[in-house]
């Protein structure tokens, strides 16, 4: 009766989770009854369970440590720790999966694939491993293998939206937009809040020229993720193509509010402001772009163009000069600087600019024409005629050059020559007002 009472008491401790007390009681029973088989058996089972639980705890602690290292960005250490654990637990799928992820991050694609395959040898239907294997193949540009892996994911779990999403990316890259669209639509059937799928659909429709469909998808993406600058950028670009400038400006401004460092957007916004006659906001946008990229010659040049359009000639000169300092062979900047100097009656400076253009582009007829105008403004008529003639050698249909030579001949009293030049100009451009006026004088 005493042994039965003690056994019941030990079992009660087990039920309460008081394993240490149960073991102590079983040991006490064995001291009094060393041949009691029930006690011997149960004590052995308890000790085995403790060892197993200890091993499980050790394994889980090790896995948690590996995951923590990875989450902290210690990829190499995470990989090494996982490899060490695999020696103790060679059938643990998660460890091979972690190795595969680490190898992928380290750019060691073949090792990554091998790790995932080891995991699948242990658990062939593991969705996560098949998906990660697809990611490795995709990174290797082994697209057919990636497609096979993602399709295997979907055979096991048809609701795995990320597999459809990655298939969409692959088919887009393989120039199969219809298959990409089909997969992105599958994503959205499973997960209607997958904003990136709407964005990618918008990108495809934009490339196909289906701009209204692109707008609809970008707008849907923005409803889900209103604080993503890329979405507003993409929508603004399509609206710009549709000549919906006011709406495009709104979305570019929203994108820049989210991410002010997007230089391209400052430039696009400045272009839109200029196109809509909002020159001061355009100037501000270019200055903001220069805050992020002060050594960009193109930005200085475009700023000069806006200053010129707004009548701020001195400021345009400064911007063009800055562009040329950064890029001495910037022909467009040199040409427009020459135009600005001409309008400021600084004809010697204009001549230097047009000569600089001709030095880099000796086939630029327009530069010769403007060089001739500058010489003429300085009273250097022979040099002007020579420049106009050089322009005509490059472009015989330059109505302005014919007209300007005619005007010089007219001031020199060479009436017949001037009339011939005016007639040549009119043959090219019948409504050329300066020619008609001067022909009347001739």
């Amino acid at each position: 009766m005493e042994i039965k009472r003690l056994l019941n008491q030990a079992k009660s401790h087990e039920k309460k989770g008081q394993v240490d007390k149960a073991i102590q009681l079983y040991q006490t029973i064995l001291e009094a009854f060393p041949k009691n088989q029930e006690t011997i058996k149960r004590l052995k089972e308890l000790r085995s369970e403790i060892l197993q639980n200890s091993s499980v705890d050790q394994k889980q602690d090790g896995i948690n440590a590996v995951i923590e290292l990875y989450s902290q960005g210690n990829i190499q250490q995470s990989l090494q720790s996982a490899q060490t654990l695999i020696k103790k637990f060679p059938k643990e799928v998660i460890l091979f999966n972690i190795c595969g992820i680490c190898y992928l991050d380290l750019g060691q694609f073949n090792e990554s694939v091998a790790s995932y395959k080891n995991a699948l040898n242990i658990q062939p239907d593991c969705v996560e491993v098949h998906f990660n294997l697809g990611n490795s193949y995709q990174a290797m540009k082994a697209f057919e293998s990636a497609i096979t892996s993602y399709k295997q994911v979907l055979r096991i779990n048809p609701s795995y939206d990320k597999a459809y999403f990655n298939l969409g990316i692959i088919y887009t890259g393989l120039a199969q937009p219809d298959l990409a669209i089909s997969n992105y639509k599958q994503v959205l059937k499973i997960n209607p809040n997958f904003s990136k799928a709407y964005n990618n659909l918008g990108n495809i429709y934009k490339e196909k020229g289906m701009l209204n469909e692109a707008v609809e998808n970008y707008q849907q993406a923005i409803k889900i993720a209103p604080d993503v600058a890329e979405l507003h950028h993409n929508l603004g670009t399509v609206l710009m193509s549709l000549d919906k400038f006011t709406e495009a400006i709104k979305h570019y401004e929203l994108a820049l509010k989210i991410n002010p460092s997007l230089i391209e957007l400052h430039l696009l916004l400045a272009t839109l402001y200029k196109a809509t006659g909002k020159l001061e906001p355009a100037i501000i946008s270019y200055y903001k772009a220069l805050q992020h990229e002060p050594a960009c010659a193109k930005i200085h040049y475009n700023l000069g163009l806006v200053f010129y359009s707004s009548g701020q000639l001195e400021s345009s000169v400064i911007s063009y000069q800055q562009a040329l300092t950064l890029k001495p062979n910037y022909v467009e900047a040199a040409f427009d600087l020459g135009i600005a100097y001409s309008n400021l009656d600084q004809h010697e400076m204009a001549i230097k600019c047009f000569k600089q253009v001709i030095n880099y582009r000796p086939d630029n007829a327009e530069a010769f024409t403007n060089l001739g105008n500058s010489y003429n403004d300085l009273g250097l008529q022979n040099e002007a005629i020579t420049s106009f003639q050089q322009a005509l050698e490059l472009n015989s249909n330059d109505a302005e050059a014919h007209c300007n030579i005619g005007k010089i001949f007219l001031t020199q009293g060479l009436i017949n020559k001037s009339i011939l030049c005016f007639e040549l100009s009119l043959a090219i451009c019948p409504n050329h007002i300066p020619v008609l006026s001067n022909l009347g004088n001739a």
Side-chain angles (χ1 to χ4, degrees):
M1 291 296 293
E2 179 62 18
I3 190 171
K4 186 174 181 180
R5 182 183 67 78
L6 292 173
L7 284 171
N8 287 337
Q9 189 175 347
K11 291 175 183 178
S12 176
H13 284 309
E14 283 188 55
K15 289 180 181 179
K16 295 177 182 178
Q18 298 169 340
V19 178
D20 291 343
K21 289 183 177 181
I23 289 174
Q24 288 177 356
L25 198 51
Y26 284 132
Q27 288 173 336
T28 300
I29 293 171
L30 284 177
E31 287 174 4
F33 307 97
K35 295 183 179 181
N36 185 273
Q37 293 301 310
E38 183 179 358
T39 303
I40 293 170
K41 179 182 176 183
R42 189 60 197 140
L43 189 58
K44 185 176 180 180
E45 289 173 348
L46 273 180
R47 284 172 173 164
S48 176
E49 287 174 12
I50 290 171
L51 286 173
Q52 288 178 1
N53 290 336
S54 175
S55 177
V56 169
D57 291 341
Q58 183 186 22
K59 178 177 68 176
Q60 192 57 52
D61 288 345
I63 291 171
N64 291 341
V66 168
I67 293 171
E68 181 65 21
L69 283 170
Y70 182 84
S71 67
Q72 292 173 353
N74 299 316
I75 310 300
Q76 192 66 52
Q77 286 179 268
S78 178
L79 175 61
Q80 291 170 351
S81 297
Q83 290 171 328
T84 300
L85 280 176
I86 284 173
K87 293 175 182 178
K88 293 182 179 180
F89 309 105
K91 297 294 183 181
E92 194 60 41
V93 171
I94 189 172
L95 292 173
F96 285 104
N97 191 39
I98 291 170
C99 285
I101 294 169
C102 290
Y103 278 128
L104 179 59
D105 286 350
L106 293 169
Q108 297 174 244
F109 302 133
N110 291 328
E111 292 82 354
S112 177
V113 167
S115 292
Y116 292 135
K117 286 185 175 180
N118 284 332
L120 291 172
N121 286 334
I122 301 166
Q123 188 178 340
D125 62 346
C126 183
V127 170
E128 185 179 354
V129 175
H130 279 292
F131 180 74
N132 289 340
L133 178 58
N135 292 344
S136 289
Y137 281 133
Q138 190 172 355
M140 297 168 69
K141 302 188 185 304
F143 297 123
E144 292 304 321
S145 295
I147 289 169
T148 299
S149 290
Y150 293 137
K151 286 185 175 179
Q152 182 62 27
V153 170
L154 294 168
R155 277 191 283 272
I156 300 168
N157 180 1
S159 298
Y160 206 96
D161 55 356
K162 291 179 182 178
Y164 281 115
F165 183 78
N166 284 6
L167 283 170
I169 292 173
I170 290 174
Y171 285 127
T172 300
L174 294 174
Q176 299 182 49
D178 292 335
L179 280 173
I181 288 171
S182 174
N183 278 279
Y184 287 134
K185 286 185 175 180
Q186 283 297 124
V187 173
L188 294 169
K189 282 182 181 178
I190 298 165
N191 182 1
N193 292 318
F194 205 129
S195 63
K196 290 182 179 179
Y198 280 113
N199 181 55
N200 289 4
L201 275 173
N203 292 340
I204 295 173
Y205 285 128
K206 181 179 71 173
E207 290 300 315
K208 289 168 72 76
M210 302 168 67
L211 300 186
N212 290 324
E213 289 80 357
V215 168
E216 289 174 8
N217 279 278
Y218 290 140
Q219 288 174 334
Q220 194 62 41
I222 288 170
K223 285 181 183 178
I224 299 165
D227 295 328
V228 177
E230 179 189 1
L231 301 180
H232 292 285
H233 182 180
N234 290 344
L235 178 55
T237 299
V238 176
L239 290 169
M240 188 175 176
S241 299
L242 290 168
D243 293 335
K244 297 182 178 181
F245 297 146
T246 302
E247 292 180 58
I249 287 171
K250 170 189 169 186
H251 285 284
Y252 283 149
E253 287 175 339
L254 285 168
L256 285 169
K257 186 176 180 181
I258 297 165
N259 186 355
S261 65
L262 294 172
I263 297 172
E264 180 188 355
L265 277 187
H266 286 294
L267 299 178
L268 287 170
L269 193 53
T271 301
L272 280 173
Y273 283 139
K274 185 181 176 185
T276 54
K278 299 176 180 179
L279 299 183
E280 284 305 315
I283 289 168
I284 292 170
S285 289
Y286 282 128
Y287 273 126
K288 286 181 178 178
L290 286 172
Q291 288 175 2
H292 298 283
E293 200 167 341
C296 180
K298 184 177 180 180
I299 300 175
H300 286 285
Y301 171 66
N302 286 334
L303 179 57
L305 292 176
V306 180
F307 277 133
Y308 185 86
S309 296
S310 65
Q312 301 179 60
L313 300 184
E314 291 84 358
S315 295
S316 75
V317 165
I318 293 170
S319 291
Y320 293 142
Q321 287 174 332
Q322 186 61 46
L324 286 165
T325 299
L326 294 165
K327 185 181 176 183
N329 64 341
Y330 203 151
V331 173
E332 293 80 6
F335 183 87
D336 287 325
L337 179 57
I339 298 294
Y341 277 134
S342 294
N343 282 279
L344 288 167
D345 294 327
Q346 297 181 35
H347 302 299
E348 290 90 348
M349 296 299 296
I351 288 169
K352 288 182 180 179
C353 292
F354 295 129
K355 283 185 175 180
Q356 184 178 352
V357 173
I358 292 165
N359 182 51
Y360 288 109
R361 300 263 181 88
D363 60 344
N364 191 318
E366 195 174 358
F368 279 109
T369 299
N370 282 282
L371 178 60
N373 290 336
S374 294
Y375 278 133
N376 195 34
D377 288 331
L378 288 172
L380 302 172
Q381 292 185 333
N382 291 334
E383 289 85 348
I385 289 173
T386 299
S387 294
F388 292 138
Q389 288 172 338
Q390 288 173 309
L392 290 169
E393 287 176 8
L394 293 166
N395 179 14
S396 60
N397 292 320
D398 189 337
E400 183 182 356
H402 284 295
C403 177
N404 290 347
I405 294 174
K407 285 193 286 185
I408 293 175
F409 284 148
L410 184 60
T411 63
Q412 294 175 345
L414 302 172
I415 306 302
N416 290 334
K417 285 187 175 182
S418 69
I419 290 173
L420 177 61
C421 290
F422 292 144
E423 287 176 344
L424 287 169
S425 183
L426 282 173
I428 298 164
C429 184
N431 297 317
H432 199 233
I433 302 301
V435 176
L436 295 172
S437 174
N438 282 285
L439 191 56
N441 294 331

